[in-house]
Amino acid sequence: MIPIKTDDEIAGMRAAGKITAEVLDIACRAVRAGVSTLDVDQLIARELAVRGAKSASFGYAPGSQRPFPAQACISINDEVVHGIPSPTRFIGDGDVVSIDLVVAYEGFMGDSTRTVIVGEVSPRVAQLVHETEVALYQGIAQ
């Protein structure tokens, strides 16, 4: 059975989602050639703190796994999702960068991923990213 949310719970969900969207907007604008994935992750940490929120990923350790050491998962190109930010992993021209952010705020979660194209990419890559976005919005519309 799916529980019906109260107006206050819906407001809490919206607040967490709004923070997630705001922080992802800022992080995506920071993605550019020469920036490390750790630089983007540290920006996310600062922006979450300003909003009184936390990363739900940081320290997450299901089962016996090591705790996740970052605020967000940042993956470059064909790297499978859940890439761990690093001070030695630099974003380059032509990269496709995905940022997966899960925010905890006042008992509610916001979870979203965005993909950023950095500089020039091949027409094939640009088409793949575009068609993926179109499919997302078609799914949402349904």
Side-chain angles (χ1 to χ4, degrees):
M1 185 158 142
I2 299 173
I4 304 298
K5 302 293 185 199
T6 66
D7 288 345
D8 286 344
E9 289 170 325
I10 292 170
M13 293 166 60
R14 283 197 175 132
K18 182 175 188 273
I19 291 170
T20 305
E22 289 172 355
V23 174
L24 271 176
D25 283 344
I26 292 165
C28 289
R29 286 195 301 269
V31 170
R32 61 185 176 278
V35 172
S36 79
T37 54
L38 183 63
D39 291 335
V40 176
D41 194 66
Q42 290 173 336
L43 173 63
I44 289 169
R46 290 189 300 272
E47 292 298 327
L48 289 173
V50 164
R51 290 162 176 78
K54 292 183 179 184
S55 165
S57 300
F58 184 76
Y60 181 69
S64 62
Q65 294 180 12
R66 290 184 301 175
F68 191 75
Q71 306 298 312
C73 301
I74 303 175
S75 306
I76 299 176
N77 298 325
D78 60 355
E79 181 176 30
V80 178
V81 294
H82 303 144
I84 299 172
S86 167
T88 60
R89 186 83 194 267
F90 290 91
I91 298 165
D93 187 51
D95 282 342
V96 177
V97 179
S98 293
I99 303 172
D100 182 356
L101 178 62
V102 184
V103 172
Y105 180 71
E106 296 185 358
F108 296 94
M109 304 292 237
D111 185 348
S112 191
T113 300
R114 298 239 184 104
T115 300
V116 179
I117 294 174
V118 181
E120 297 293 321
V121 295
S122 72
R124 182 173 170 228
V125 170
Q127 181 180 7
L128 173 64
V129 172
H130 172 73
E131 288 181 7
T132 302
E133 184 177 20
V134 168
L136 168 69
Y137 285 109
Q138 287 176 344
I140 291 169
Q142 294 302 312

